[in-house]
PDB file of all heavy atoms in Angstrom:
ATOM      1  N   LYS A 206      40.721  12.695 -73.792  1.00  0.00           N
ATOM      2  CA  LYS A 206      41.519  13.779 -73.243  1.00  0.00           C
ATOM      3  C   LYS A 206      40.721  14.492 -72.156  1.00  0.00           C
ATOM      4  O   LYS A 206      41.262  14.822 -71.086  1.00  0.00           O
ATOM      5  CB  LYS A 206      41.940  14.756 -74.336  1.00  0.00           C
ATOM      6  CG  LYS A 206      42.869  14.213 -75.390  1.00  0.00           C
ATOM      7  CD  LYS A 206      43.068  15.258 -76.491  1.00  0.00           C
ATOM      8  CE  LYS A 206      43.766  14.661 -77.706  1.00  0.00           C
ATOM      9  NZ  LYS A 206      43.824  15.615 -78.836  1.00  0.00           N
ATOM     10  N   LYS A 207      39.482  14.756 -72.407  1.00  0.00           N
ATOM     11  CA  LYS A 207      38.638  15.451 -71.440  1.00  0.00           C
ATOM     12  C   LYS A 207      38.487  14.611 -70.163  1.00  0.00           C
ATOM     13  O   LYS A 207      38.521  15.158 -69.056  1.00  0.00           O
ATOM     14  CB  LYS A 207      37.267  15.730 -72.060  1.00  0.00           C
ATOM     15  CG  LYS A 207      37.322  16.791 -73.175  1.00  0.00           C
ATOM     16  CD  LYS A 207      36.004  16.855 -73.949  1.00  0.00           C
ATOM     17  CE  LYS A 207      34.840  17.282 -73.086  1.00  0.00           C
ATOM     18  NZ  LYS A 207      33.604  17.452 -73.897  1.00  0.00           N
ATOM     19  N   LYS A 208      38.340  13.301 -70.303  1.00  0.00           N
ATOM     20  CA  LYS A 208      38.204  12.444 -69.119  1.00  0.00           C
ATOM     21  C   LYS A 208      39.510  12.433 -68.314  1.00  0.00           C
ATOM     22  O   LYS A 208      39.461  12.460 -67.069  1.00  0.00           O
ATOM     23  CB  LYS A 208      37.897  11.006 -69.567  1.00  0.00           C
ATOM     24  CG  LYS A 208      36.510  10.824 -70.147  1.00  0.00           C
ATOM     25  CD  LYS A 208      36.318   9.379 -70.620  1.00  0.00           C
ATOM     26  CE  LYS A 208      34.956   9.214 -71.288  1.00  0.00           C
ATOM     27  NZ  LYS A 208      34.778   7.818 -71.795  1.00  0.00           N
ATOM     28  N   VAL A 209      40.639  12.406 -68.989  1.00  0.00           N
ATOM     29  CA  VAL A 209      41.941  12.419 -68.312  1.00  0.00           C
ATOM     30  C   VAL A 209      42.106  13.671 -67.495  1.00  0.00           C
ATOM     31  O   VAL A 209      42.484  13.651 -66.323  1.00  0.00           O
ATOM     32  CB  VAL A 209      43.075  12.268 -69.371  1.00  0.00           C
ATOM     33  CG1 VAL A 209      44.421  12.635 -68.778  1.00  0.00           C
ATOM     34  CG2 VAL A 209      43.108  10.861 -69.933  1.00  0.00           C
ATOM     35  N   ILE A 210      41.836  14.816 -68.121  1.00  0.00           N
ATOM     36  CA  ILE A 210      41.988  16.100 -67.440  1.00  0.00           C
ATOM     37  C   ILE A 210      40.997  16.199 -66.268  1.00  0.00           C
ATOM     38  O   ILE A 210      41.329  16.688 -65.178  1.00  0.00           O
ATOM     39  CB  ILE A 210      41.776  17.244 -68.444  1.00  0.00           C
ATOM     40  CG1 ILE A 210      42.919  17.236 -69.471  1.00  0.00           C
ATOM     41  CG2 ILE A 210      41.748  18.598 -67.733  1.00  0.00           C
ATOM     42  CD1 ILE A 210      42.678  18.158 -70.653  1.00  0.00           C
ATOM     43  N   ALA A 211      39.787  15.710 -66.474  1.00  0.00           N
ATOM     44  CA  ALA A 211      38.750  15.785 -65.417  1.00  0.00           C
ATOM     45  C   ALA A 211      39.180  14.981 -64.172  1.00  0.00           C
ATOM     46  O   ALA A 211      38.934  15.385 -63.049  1.00  0.00           O
ATOM     47  CB  ALA A 211      37.408  15.286 -65.948  1.00  0.00           C
ATOM     48  N   LEU A 212      39.812  13.832 -64.384  1.00  0.00           N
ATOM     49  CA  LEU A 212      40.270  12.998 -63.254  1.00  0.00           C
ATOM     50  C   LEU A 212      41.297  13.780 -62.406  1.00  0.00           C
ATOM     51  O   LEU A 212      41.228  13.790 -61.191  1.00  0.00           O
ATOM     52  CB  LEU A 212      40.911  11.705 -63.765  1.00  0.00           C
ATOM     53  CG  LEU A 212      40.000  10.535 -64.073  1.00  0.00           C
ATOM     54  CD1 LEU A 212      40.804   9.410 -64.725  1.00  0.00           C
ATOM     55  CD2 LEU A 212      39.363  10.025 -62.777  1.00  0.00           C
ATOM     56  N   VAL A 213      42.228  14.444 -63.076  1.00  0.00           N
ATOM     57  CA  VAL A 213      43.262  15.192 -62.354  1.00  0.00           C
ATOM     58  C   VAL A 213      42.655  16.399 -61.670  1.00  0.00           C
ATOM     59  O   VAL A 213      42.944  16.694 -60.495  1.00  0.00           O
ATOM     60  CB  VAL A 213      44.382  15.604 -63.328  1.00  0.00           C
ATOM     61  CG1 VAL A 213      45.370  16.539 -62.626  1.00  0.00           C
ATOM     62  CG2 VAL A 213      45.101  14.392 -63.851  1.00  0.00           C
ATOM     63  N   TYR A 214      41.785  17.137 -62.352  1.00  0.00           N
ATOM     64  CA  TYR A 214      41.185  18.310 -61.734  1.00  0.00           C
ATOM     65  C   TYR A 214      40.321  17.953 -60.534  1.00  0.00           C
ATOM     66  O   TYR A 214      40.290  18.676 -59.516  1.00  0.00           O
ATOM     67  CB  TYR A 214      40.318  19.048 -62.777  1.00  0.00           C
ATOM     68  CG  TYR A 214      41.091  19.882 -63.769  1.00  0.00           C
ATOM     69  CD1 TYR A 214      42.478  19.787 -63.883  1.00  0.00           C
ATOM     70  CD2 TYR A 214      40.460  20.783 -64.605  1.00  0.00           C
ATOM     71  CE1 TYR A 214      43.199  20.525 -64.800  1.00  0.00           C
ATOM     72  CE2 TYR A 214      41.172  21.557 -65.521  1.00  0.00           C
ATOM     73  CZ  TYR A 214      42.571  21.397 -65.605  1.00  0.00           C
ATOM     74  OH  TYR A 214      43.259  22.177 -66.515  1.00  0.00           O
ATOM     75  N   ALA A 215      39.649  16.811 -60.598  1.00  0.00           N
ATOM     76  CA  ALA A 215      38.840  16.365 -59.458  1.00  0.00           C
ATOM     77  C   ALA A 215      39.719  16.067 -58.241  1.00  0.00           C
ATOM     78  O   ALA A 215      39.371  16.394 -57.120  1.00  0.00           O
ATOM     79  CB  ALA A 215      38.040  15.122 -59.834  1.00  0.00           C
ATOM     80  N   MET A 216      40.899  15.469 -58.477  1.00  0.00           N
ATOM     81  CA  MET A 216      41.839  15.196 -57.386  1.00  0.00           C
ATOM     82  C   MET A 216      42.306  16.502 -56.747  1.00  0.00           C
ATOM     83  O   MET A 216      42.349  16.631 -55.516  1.00  0.00           O
ATOM     84  CB  MET A 216      43.027  14.402 -57.901  1.00  0.00           C
ATOM     85  CG  MET A 216      44.096  14.116 -56.864  1.00  0.00           C
ATOM     86  SD  MET A 216      45.550  13.208 -57.514  1.00  0.00           S
ATOM     87  CE  MET A 216      46.379  14.560 -58.401  1.00  0.00           C
ATOM     88  N   LEU A 217      42.625  17.487 -57.573  1.00  0.00           N
ATOM     89  CA  LEU A 217      43.077  18.762 -57.072  1.00  0.00           C
ATOM     90  C   LEU A 217      41.993  19.459 -56.254  1.00  0.00           C
ATOM     91  O   LEU A 217      42.228  19.936 -55.125  1.00  0.00           O
ATOM     92  CB  LEU A 217      43.531  19.678 -58.202  1.00  0.00           C
ATOM     93  CG  LEU A 217      44.676  19.193 -59.085  1.00  0.00           C
ATOM     94  CD1 LEU A 217      45.027  20.234 -60.141  1.00  0.00           C
ATOM     95  CD2 LEU A 217      45.889  18.828 -58.261  1.00  0.00           C
ATOM     96  N   THR A 218      40.783  19.523 -56.796  1.00  0.00           N
ATOM     97  CA  THR A 218      39.658  20.192 -56.142  1.00  0.00           C
ATOM     98  C   THR A 218      39.349  19.552 -54.797  1.00  0.00           C
ATOM     99  O   THR A 218      39.080  20.243 -53.813  1.00  0.00           O
ATOM    100  CB  THR A 218      38.420  20.151 -57.044  1.00  0.00           C
ATOM    101  OG1 THR A 218      38.721  20.806 -58.283  1.00  0.00           O
ATOM    102  CG2 THR A 218      37.248  20.862 -56.376  1.00  0.00           C
ATOM    103  N   ARG A 219      39.397  18.238 -54.710  1.00  0.00           N
ATOM    104  CA  ARG A 219      39.097  17.522 -53.485  1.00  0.00           C
ATOM    105  C   ARG A 219      40.035  17.953 -52.356  1.00  0.00           C
ATOM    106  O   ARG A 219      39.654  17.897 -51.163  1.00  0.00           O
ATOM    107  CB  ARG A 219      39.222  16.027 -53.724  1.00  0.00           C
ATOM    108  CG  ARG A 219      39.020  15.173 -52.472  1.00  0.00           C
ATOM    109  CD  ARG A 219      38.964  13.692 -52.837  1.00  0.00           C
ATOM    110  NE  ARG A 219      38.920  12.876 -51.640  1.00  0.00           N
ATOM    111  CZ  ARG A 219      38.794  11.554 -51.646  1.00  0.00           C
ATOM    112  NH1 ARG A 219      38.668  10.899 -52.806  1.00  0.00           N
ATOM    113  NH2 ARG A 219      38.761  10.857 -50.523  1.00  0.00           N
ATOM    114  N   HIS A 220      41.243  18.369 -52.685  1.00  0.00           N
ATOM    115  CA  HIS A 220      42.212  18.758 -51.674  1.00  0.00           C
ATOM    116  C   HIS A 220      42.377  20.264 -51.561  1.00  0.00           C
ATOM    117  O   HIS A 220      43.312  20.727 -50.895  1.00  0.00           O
ATOM    118  CB  HIS A 220      43.573  18.105 -51.997  1.00  0.00           C
ATOM    119  CG  HIS A 220      43.560  16.612 -51.845  1.00  0.00           C
ATOM    120  ND1 HIS A 220      43.056  15.780 -52.811  1.00  0.00           N
ATOM    121  CD2 HIS A 220      43.975  15.823 -50.827  1.00  0.00           C
ATOM    122  CE1 HIS A 220      43.177  14.519 -52.395  1.00  0.00           C
ATOM    123  NE2 HIS A 220      43.711  14.526 -51.207  1.00  0.00           N
ATOM    124  N   GLY A 221      41.508  21.027 -52.194  1.00  0.00           N
ATOM    125  CA  GLY A 221      41.554  22.466 -52.064  1.00  0.00           C
ATOM    126  C   GLY A 221      42.505  23.175 -53.015  1.00  0.00           C
ATOM    127  O   GLY A 221      42.823  24.344 -52.834  1.00  0.00           O
ATOM    128  N   TYR A 222      42.939  22.455 -54.056  1.00  0.00           N
ATOM    129  CA  TYR A 222      43.851  23.046 -55.064  1.00  0.00           C
ATOM    130  C   TYR A 222      43.079  23.279 -56.366  1.00  0.00           C
ATOM    131  O   TYR A 222      41.946  22.812 -56.545  1.00  0.00           O
ATOM    132  CB  TYR A 222      45.014  22.124 -55.385  1.00  0.00           C
ATOM    133  CG  TYR A 222      45.891  21.806 -54.193  1.00  0.00           C
ATOM    134  CD1 TYR A 222      45.759  20.599 -53.496  1.00  0.00           C
ATOM    135  CD2 TYR A 222      46.902  22.661 -53.814  1.00  0.00           C
ATOM    136  CE1 TYR A 222      46.558  20.289 -52.416  1.00  0.00           C
ATOM    137  CE2 TYR A 222      47.747  22.359 -52.739  1.00  0.00           C
ATOM    138  CZ  TYR A 222      47.557  21.180 -52.065  1.00  0.00           C
ATOM    139  OH  TYR A 222      48.387  20.851 -50.996  1.00  0.00           O
ATOM    140  N   SER A 223      43.733  24.008 -57.278  1.00  0.00           N
ATOM    141  CA  SER A 223      43.195  24.157 -58.608  1.00  0.00           C
ATOM    142  C   SER A 223      44.356  24.191 -59.600  1.00  0.00           C
ATOM    143  O   SER A 223      45.503  24.484 -59.217  1.00  0.00           O
ATOM    144  CB  SER A 223      42.389  25.448 -58.735  1.00  0.00           C
ATOM    145  OG  SER A 223      43.189  26.608 -58.479  1.00  0.00           O
ATOM    146  N   ALA A 224      44.065  23.875 -60.853  1.00  0.00           N
ATOM    147  CA  ALA A 224      45.107  23.927 -61.871  1.00  0.00           C
ATOM    148  C   ALA A 224      45.283  25.365 -62.340  1.00  0.00           C
ATOM    149  O   ALA A 224      44.310  26.145 -62.392  1.00  0.00           O
ATOM    150  CB  ALA A 224      44.706  23.027 -63.048  1.00  0.00           C
TER     151      ALA A 224
END
Side-chain angles (χ1 to χ4, degrees):
K206 294 174 192 174
K207 291 169 63 175
K208 291 177 183 177
V209 165
I210 294 169
L212 275 173
V213 173
Y214 283 12
M216 178 182 76
L217 300 183
T218 301
R219 176 173 174 176
H220 292 81
Y222 299 98
S223 61

